[in-house]
Amino acid sequence: MPISLTNDMMRSIIMDHYSNPIHKHQPTKDGFIKTHMHSDNCIDDLDIFLLLEGEKVVDACFDGVGCTISTASTDIMCELLPGKTIKEAKYIIEQYNLMIHEENFDADVLDEAIVFINTSKQAARIRCATIGWNGASEILKDK
């Protein structure tokens, strides 16, 4: 994101995606690949859905029960991946995980996902922030 985000701005983006998740629903057509993700440490119990056509991610959504962090991060992921090639989607997921683990990452591809940059400071939240992303990675791993 080109502007510098304050903690309040980041919190606001997270709360908006938690309170009004655009991509939290069952798929509206056939062809989606699904994976189920859950956490033993949190209420997170999510189904992740990706629609792939050729080498592109065409659509993404999720459904289930999730905490604030998992719901918001998965909703943002579902916004980022559609329209990307599978290679680009894998790169975005990789950069997100590098950021979460405080390693060098390419911020240019993360857009609003950058709001989770401080997640590693609360280690218990890392699983929450990555559960949807790990699901998408699982779907894309053999593609």
Side-chain angles (χ1 to χ4, degrees):
M1 299 188 98
I3 61 171
S4 180
L5 292 173
T6 66
N7 285 338
D8 285 342
M9 292 167 73
M10 290 191 287
R11 194 174 302 110
S12 177
I13 290 168
I14 291 168
M15 289 309 298
D16 184 50
H17 280 277
Y18 171 68
S19 300
N20 306 297
I22 297 167
H23 303 283
K24 186 174 188 258
H25 56 80
Q26 291 285 319
T28 55
K29 59 183 178 180
D30 294 335
F32 280 78
I33 301 169
K34 171 186 165 183
T35 191
H36 181 78
M37 304 297 289
H38 74 280
S39 174
D40 294 331
N41 301 325
C42 194
I43 64 168
D44 303 331
D45 191 30
L46 301 174
D47 290 324
I48 309 301
F49 303 92
L50 295 183
L51 180 60
L52 308 176
E53 289 181 6
E55 289 296 312
K56 280 212 163 214
V57 177
V58 176
D59 200 358
C61 59
F62 70 104
D63 204 9
V65 177
C67 69
T68 303
I69 300 298
S70 66
T71 299
S73 68
T74 303
D75 195 52
I76 289 170
M77 179 200 72
C78 289
E79 217 166 88
L80 277 174
L81 299 186
K84 305 296 190 293
T85 66
I86 290 171
K87 183 178 179 180
E88 290 168 333
K90 287 179 176 182
Y91 181 76
I92 291 167
I93 294 167
E94 176 188 33
Q95 297 310 302
Y96 180 79
N97 280 306
L98 288 170
M99 176 191 72
I100 292 293
H101 295 288
E102 295 185 307
E103 297 178 38
N104 291 331
F105 66 96
D106 180 358
D108 292 339
V109 300
L110 295 182
D111 198 46
E112 282 187 326
I114 200 78
V115 299
F116 295 98
I117 194 165
N118 296 321
T119 301
S120 63
K121 292 174 182 27
Q122 294 179 311
R125 290 300 189 198
I126 290 174
R127 174 74 175 152
C128 301
T130 59
I131 194 166
W133 297 77
N134 291 341
S137 183
E138 179 70 25
I139 291 170
L140 297 173
K141 76 176 177 186
D142 296 326
K143 306 291 182 210

